[in-house]
Amino acid sequence: MSDEVAGEPRHPIRVATARTGLSAHAVRAWELRYEAVTPHRSERGHRLYTDEDIYRLRLLSSLTEGGRRIGQVAGLGTAKLAALLQEDRAEESVAVGTARSRRPDDRAAAIVEEAYESILRYDDQALDSIFRRVALDLSAPALIDDVVVPLLERVGVGWTRGKLRPAQEHMATAVVERTLGWILESFAAPGKAPKLVVTTPAGQHHSLGAQLAAASGATVGWDVMYLGPNLPAEDVALAAAATGARAVALSLVYPADDKAIHSYLRELSAGLPVSVSLIVGGPALTSYEATLEEVGAVRLTSFEGLRSVLLDLADAA
């Protein structure tokens, strides 16, 4: 292949993901956060990658799978990346049985178990340390998806079955909230980033889902304004308009099929500027499917899905 063809931006993101094994979310996040590659844009604004871009992404994917942090290697030149990967593979060949050889699912499950044990011991410092270690060793999205969410689910089951005391559940929640706070701070985006407003409807005081959504949005380069829980629709719409928000994310925890929530969703949708996307998730989501479809809201069941939607919105802007 000629150098001219190799340097031509001709591969859309679907080709880039197919050839690298990375998700579209990871590719976009690495671009936005670390400038790992800088794709060109088609006339319609779609990303286009060169052969070298794809080669760099393959190298970065292999290095991060081997234990390197993306923030430490994204700024290296392509030749240095290739040399580093060769070095890592040479070391790996004589280090059979190390932690790198474990499957990611096994590693996440072990971390959740370790975190749960710290809750049983009322050890908030150990729990905080576990979260910070995971964010450094893996990534903030992995911390949210693979550790915090499964841990909270397990805490909920433990509390329901009487295996956890209220103080243990409260301690875990407090540490999670602190963790999500420093994720938001660590990933603070520049003023030019698209704005995301996050809250819960009036009457809904459970805020962890909204805080998880806020932290997830921050990790993909959005400027997040978390307003806390329990806000009237009018105030949410006014905040979105005043800040030039590109999207509003709501967490619906309870109750199931409440007429007040149906009315809230219609009022909020009507009050938002037409350029603002309404994104809704949470355990009570399925009870409001018809109304959410009526108002054109994006319905999501995972924080990975939220990040993907936000990256698509940013790409289309």
Side-chain angles (χ1 to χ4, degrees):
M1 182 180 298
S2 68
D3 291 341
E4 182 178 352
V5 173
E8 180 183 344
R10 57 198 180 95
H11 305 298
I13 194 166
R14 288 185 180 180
V15 172
T17 57
R19 293 190 180 184
T20 63
L22 293 166
S23 67
H25 157 71
V27 173
R28 291 164 175 163
W30 288 2
E31 292 168 14
L32 290 169
R33 179 68 179 167
Y34 302 105
E35 298 181 350
V37 293
T38 305
H40 294 71
R41 295 280 182 167
S42 69
E43 291 183 358
R44 295 186 176 182
H46 299 301
R47 287 173 165 83
L48 291 174
Y49 300 84
T50 65
D51 290 339
E52 183 174 356
D53 289 334
I54 290 178
Y55 179 51
R56 278 185 60 81
L57 290 170
R58 283 177 179 164
L59 292 172
L60 290 168
S61 177
S62 296
L63 286 165
T64 54
E65 285 178 3
R68 301 278 181 181
R69 290 173 55 196
I70 183 62
Q72 294 176 329
V73 295
L76 298 178
T78 303
K80 288 187 177 181
L81 291 175
L84 187 60
L85 180 59
Q86 184 176 6
E87 176 186 332
D88 284 356
R89 285 178 172 170
E91 290 294 326
E92 188 175 357
S93 67
V94 294
V96 178
T98 64
R100 289 184 199 170
S101 64
R102 299 177 62 192
R103 293 188 307 164
D105 288 349
D106 290 342
R107 178 164 53 169
I111 294 169
V112 171
E113 179 65 28
E114 181 186 0
Y116 190 74
E117 289 296 326
S118 72
I119 295 171
L120 293 177
R121 300 192 307 271
Y122 295 87
D123 194 341
D124 59 334
Q125 293 185 357
L127 183 59
D128 182 83
S129 177
I130 291 166
F131 288 158
R132 291 180 182 272
R133 186 186 75 225
V134 174
L136 291 174
D137 292 345
L138 300 176
S139 67
L143 169 60
I144 292 169
D145 296 348
D146 301 334
V147 177
V148 173
V149 171
L151 179 63
L152 289 174
E153 291 172 351
R154 186 166 178 184
V155 167
V157 171
W159 184 84
T160 301
R161 295 179 178 177
K163 295 182 178 180
L164 286 180
R165 302 292 299 176
Q168 292 167 313
E169 187 270 339
H170 284 207
M171 181 209 78
T173 299
V175 176
V176 168
E177 288 179 333
R178 289 202 303 270
T179 300
L180 298 175
W182 61 251
I183 290 176
L184 270 174
E185 183 178 352
S186 298
F187 285 85
K192 63 180 180 180
K195 189 84 170 184
L196 173 67
V197 173
V198 183
T199 186
T200 72
Q204 296 217 6
H205 298 273
H206 289 279
S207 62
L208 266 181
Q211 292 178 69
L212 284 161
S216 292
T219 65
V220 289
W222 279 60
D223 180 10
V224 179
M225 182 169 67
Y226 172 59
L227 298 177
N230 184 33
L231 271 184
E234 181 182 6
D235 287 282
V236 179
L238 285 172
T243 59
R246 182 67 183 83
V248 169
L250 285 183
S251 174
L252 290 179
V253 178
Y254 72 93
D257 201 21
D258 184 346
K259 291 182 179 179
I261 298 297
H262 288 284
S263 299
Y264 183 98
L265 293 169
R266 293 188 179 99
E267 180 184 352
L268 176 57
S269 177
L272 289 175
V274 293
S275 60
V276 178
S277 297
L278 177 59
I279 303 170
V280 182
L285 179 69
T286 55
S287 297
Y288 303 96
E289 287 282 358
T291 301
L292 291 169
E293 183 174 359
E294 172 192 325
V295 301
V298 178
R299 287 97 73 194
L300 297 174
T301 58
S302 71
F303 297 107
E304 181 181 7
L306 172 62
R307 293 191 296 270
S308 180
V309 166
L310 292 176
L311 286 166
D312 285 341
L313 288 174
D315 193 26

